[in-house]
Amino acid sequence: MSERGGIVVLDFGGQYTQLIARRIREQQVFSAILPCTAPIEQIRKFEPVGVVLSGGPNSVYDTAAPACDEGVLRLGVPVLGICYGLQWMTHVLGGRVERADRREYGRTELVVKNGSALFAGLPHKLRIWNSHGDHVRALPAGFHVTGETGNAVSAAEDTERKLYAVQFHPEVRHTDCGSEILRNFVFDICHAKPAWSGAAFIAETVEAIRKQVGGARAICALSGGVDSAVAAVLVHRAIGDRLTNIFVNNGLLRKDEFRETLELLRDRMGLKVMGVDASKEFLDRLKGVTEPEDKRKRIGAEFISVFDQQARQLATGPERAGFLVQGTLYPDVIESVAVRGPSQTIKTHHNVGGLPKDLPFALIEPLRELFKDEVRSIGRELGLPEEMLTKHPFPGPGLAVRLLGEVTEERLAPLRDADAIVVEEIRRAGLYEKVWQAFAVLLPVRSVGVMGDERSYGYTIVVRVVDSEDAMTADWTRLPAEVLERISTRIVNEVTGINRVVYDVSSKPPSTIEWE
C-alpha cells in the first residue's frame, strides 16, 4: 500500500472527519487525515490526487475560526469542501456566509441540478443529512449551484478550478447515496487508483512498529476484546517474544470473563499472557466516587500503575519494557480529546484522556485511526478466532460505566448477573451477531414492587441493545417483544434485589451508547 496518490482530508474539527477518510478507504483508496493547519509542504509529500475539507463546529466569520492555507485551493488537484469546508471555501474566495434564519439539522431533501460529475448517475432527489446553522448567501465568482434544499444552497462547484462543495454530510449513512457521491469524487473527478487493503495495512503497520520499538521490549494491555487482541497480534508479528501481554482483572469485568478470556487468549490464540488480579486495588480507588469522569480517570491511572508494576517485575534496567500497547480506536479518540482540529470533548476514555501526564511508557496504538468494523476485518486477515472477532464491544472502564453511582462489589454482583442474562437471551434469540451491543445497566433508583405477595423495594435494571456500524452513531434495536419479556422475567426472578426492568430507546446522538 502506498501513501502516494490518495486523498488528503484536512480536519477543521468535525466529529465526522474520520468517517470521511473511512468512506474513502472503503473504495480501497488511501486517505490521510491532517490538521487544517498543516503546511502545504506536508500535504504535497502525500502527492494527493485530491483534497477534502471537513466539517467543523465553528462559523467561518468568527475571529478564532479555523482556517487552512489558501494554497490548498491552488494545488492543481480537485478539492471537495464538506459543510464547514464549503463555507470556508466560499468565505476565502469572496462569497458570503451568514447565520441562517432557519438552521438545518437532520434529514432533508436535496434537489440535484443536471450536469455535475459529483452527482453523476444519482437520482435527482436525495434525502441528505445536515448539521449547520450558517448558510451560503452568495457564491464566489466562477461557482454555480448544483444542488439545493428548500432552505439553502446545498451543493456548488467551479469545474475550471476543480473546486466542489456540499453543505450536507455525504460521509454519514443517513445520507442517500453518500458513498456514491464520494466515489464519484474519488474516481471520476480525482482519478484515484484503488490500492488500499487490509493486507497492505498489516504489512505497513508491522514495519512501522518494528521501527518504533527497535530492540526494546513492550507490554500490551489486553482487555479481552477484539481491539486489544488485534493490536497484540500486530505487535507480536513485529517484535515476537519481546512483547508480554497483560490481562488485568480490575474487578469490573463481566461474569466469568477473567477465566474465559485467559483461556481464549492462551489456548486458542497462542499469545503469551499474564493474568493479574488487581480487583481490590481498583475498587479501593473507586470508593466514594460517583462522578463519571472521575471514575474513568481513576481507572486509567490505576491501569497504568498496574502495568508499571508488572513491567518492573518482568525486568529491570535496559531490559524493562519501555512501550505500552493499547487497542485504542478512533471513536475513543474523537470523544476524548481534540485530535486534528478543534473538536469538542464528549467524554474521557480511560485509555485516551484518562492517561496520566507522567506516563512511564511510550505508547503504541496501531489501530488509533480505525473503526471497529475495520479492526474486525484486519483481525480476520490476521486469522483471529471468530469467537473473538464477534465479541460485543466492552468499555475499558468495564462495569463502572454501566453502574451509575458508587462502584461497590455489592452493587456489581447483581449487575453481572443481569448482564449475563441479557447476553444469554440475545444469543438464544439468534441476535448476538446481528446487533452491535447488548448489555445491562444498574440504576441507583429503587422502586416499590410486589414479589411473593409481599412489598419489595428493589433496584432497576436498564437493558440497552443498539445497532451501529462504527460507534460514532447508533440506533436502539427493535427487539421482539418475546425476547424482552424473557429478559425481564429472568432478571426479576433470578437476580436478588432487582424488581424492575426497563428498555433504553434512545439513540446516539443525542445519547451515548454507554451510560457514563
Side-chain angles (χ1 to χ4, degrees), residues 12 15-16 83 91 115 126-127 183 237 329 381 385 402 406 409 415 425 470 480:
F12 287 89
Q15 290 291 325
Y16 300 139
C83 197
H91 184 68
L126 298 170
R127 296 287 288 177
R183 169 175 278 274
R237 285 199 177 185
L329 302 191
E381 290 264 2
R402 295 178 179 175
E406 184 180 3
E409 187 54 50
L415 176 57
E425 290 300 331
D470 45 42

Side-chain angles (χ1 to χ4, degrees), residues 364-403:
I364 301 175
E365 297 176 308
L367 311 176
R368 189 180 176 91
E369 302 291 336
L370 301 184
F371 286 86
K372 177 74 73 173
D373 58 331
E374 292 178 311
V375 173
R376 286 188 172 123
S377 177
I378 297 297
R380 287 189 176 90
E381 290 264 2
L382 291 168
L384 269 67
E386 200 65 23
E387 179 182 351
M388 173 64 76
L389 296 174
T390 57
K391 286 182 76 172
H392 284 185
F394 187 61
L399 297 180
V401 294
R402 295 178 179 175
L403 188 159

Side-chain angles (χ1 to χ4, degrees), residues 405-473:
E406 184 180 3
V407 179
T408 65
E409 187 54 50
E410 292 73 25
R411 300 184 70 219
L412 284 166
L415 176 57
R416 283 196 188 94
D417 289 341
D419 184 77
I421 289 171
V422 171
V423 174
E424 285 171 13
E425 290 300 331
I426 292 294
R427 287 188 182 279
R428 179 183 172 188
L431 297 172
Y432 186 82
E433 295 181 13
K434 296 178 181 178
V435 301
W436 178 263
Q437 238 168 318
F439 57 91
V441 177
L442 179 67
L443 298 185
V445 175
R446 300 179 74 182
S447 62
V448 174
V450 179
M451 303 181 76
D453 294 328
E454 294 182 358
R455 178 186 186 273
S456 68
Y457 192 49
Y459 286 101
T460 300
I461 284 289
V462 178
V463 176
R464 179 77 158 142
V465 186
V466 298
D467 296 314
S468 183
E469 191 175 72
D470 45 42
M472 295 298 287
T473 59

Side-chain angles (χ1 to χ4, degrees), residues 110-168:
L110 170 73
V111 178
V112 178
K113 297 183 179 294
N114 292 326
S116 171
L118 198 61
F119 299 101
L122 303 183
H124 291 296
K125 290 185 179 180
L126 298 170
R127 296 287 288 177
I128 58 172
W129 186 263
N130 282 304
S131 182
H132 64 96
D134 295 333
H135 66 179
V136 173
R137 179 68 68 182
L139 286 167
F143 277 80
H144 66 276
V145 176
T146 56
E148 293 178 311
T149 65
N151 188 45
V153 171
S154 198
E157 63 184 47
D158 179 343
T159 54
E160 186 172 332
R161 288 186 285 183
K162 303 179 183 177
L163 303 179
Y164 302 80
V166 295
Q167 182 62 76
F168 59 93

Side-chain angles (χ1 to χ4, degrees), residues 14-93:
Q15 290 291 325
Y16 300 139
T17 299
Q18 185 67 12
L19 279 178
I20 301 170
R22 178 182 164 200
R23 297 292 178 243
I24 295 169
R25 289 200 297 264
E26 287 175 353
Q27 317 286 352
Q28 294 187 303
V29 172
F30 175 77
S31 59
I33 298 177
L34 298 177
C36 59
T37 54
I40 287 292
E41 294 72 23
Q42 185 180 2
I43 298 171
R44 283 201 180 102
K45 286 181 180 178
F46 286 92
E47 299 176 15
V49 296
V51 174
V52 177
L53 310 179
S54 84
N58 300 87
S59 294
V60 291
Y61 45 77
D62 289 344
T63 304
C68 66
D69 190 320
E70 294 180 29
V72 167
L73 304 178
R74 299 187 294 272
L75 281 174
V77 301
V79 178
L80 172 63
I82 294 177
C83 197
Y84 182 92
L86 160 64
Q87 295 166 11
W88 179 82
M89 194 184 293
T90 299
H91 184 68
V92 300
L93 292 176

Side-chain angles (χ1 to χ4, degrees), residues 199-221:
F201 172 84
I202 292 169
E204 290 195 1
T205 301
V206 167
E207 182 58 30
I209 294 168
R210 193 173 286 131
K211 289 180 180 178
Q212 181 183 0
V213 177
R217 294 179 177 274
I219 59 175
C220 178

Side-chain angles (χ1 to χ4, degrees), residues 62-292:
D62 289 344
T63 304
C68 66
D69 190 320
E70 294 180 29
V72 167
L73 304 178
R74 299 187 294 272
L75 281 174
V77 301
V79 178
L80 172 63
I82 294 177
C83 197
Y84 182 92
L86 160 64
Q87 295 166 11
W88 179 82
M89 194 184 293
T90 299
H91 184 68
V92 300
L93 292 176
R96 191 165 77 255
V97 178
E98 297 178 349
R99 176 69 63 184
D101 296 329
R102 191 176 71 197
R103 298 178 296 177
E104 287 188 324
Y105 293 102
R107 283 193 175 94
T108 190
E109 186 176 81
L110 170 73
V111 178
V112 178
K113 297 183 179 294
N114 292 326
S116 171
L118 198 61
F119 299 101
L122 303 183
H124 291 296
K125 290 185 179 180
L126 298 170
R127 296 287 288 177
I128 58 172
W129 186 263
N130 282 304
S131 182
H132 64 96
D134 295 333
H135 66 179
V136 173
R137 179 68 68 182
L139 286 167
F143 277 80
H144 66 276
V145 176
T146 56
E148 293 178 311
T149 65
N151 188 45
V153 171
S154 198
E157 63 184 47
D158 179 343
T159 54
E160 186 172 332
R161 288 186 285 183
K162 303 179 183 177
L163 303 179
Y164 302 80
V166 295
Q167 182 62 76
F168 59 93
H169 290 276
E171 69 272 23
V172 303
R173 292 300 189 193
H174 305 295
T175 292
D176 291 346
C177 302
S179 291
E180 287 84 348
I181 292 170
L182 290 174
R183 169 175 278 274
N184 285 343
F185 177 73
V186 169
F187 292 115
D188 297 343
I189 295 173
C190 297
H191 306 295
K193 304 296 182 185
W196 194 95
S197 69
F201 172 84
I202 292 169
E204 290 195 1
T205 301
V206 167
E207 182 58 30
I209 294 168
R210 193 173 286 131
K211 289 180 180 178
Q212 181 183 0
V213 177
R217 294 179 177 274
I219 59 175
C220 178
L222 280 179
S223 69
V226 63
D227 310 331
S228 60
V230 170
V233 173
L234 284 169
V235 177
H236 185 266
R237 285 199 177 185
I239 66 173
D241 289 341
R242 285 183 286 123
L243 170 69
T244 299
N245 298 287
I246 299 176
F247 180 43
V248 178
N249 180 5
N250 59 4
L252 306 168
L253 299 175
R254 290 169 288 197
K255 192 172 184 177
D256 299 326
E257 187 162 25
F258 188 57
R259 174 184 56 80
E260 292 175 355
T261 300
L262 277 176
E263 291 174 357
L264 175 61
L265 294 169
R266 288 170 175 169
D267 301 340
R268 297 280 305 282
M269 295 178 59
L271 290 174
K272 176 184 173 184
V273 184
M274 291 178 56
V276 178
D277 188 353
S279 52
K280 183 179 184 303
E281 289 84 347
F282 277 87
L283 292 179
D284 284 347
R285 188 176 278 233
L286 291 170
K287 278 183 180 177
V289 179
T290 59
E291 206 280 320

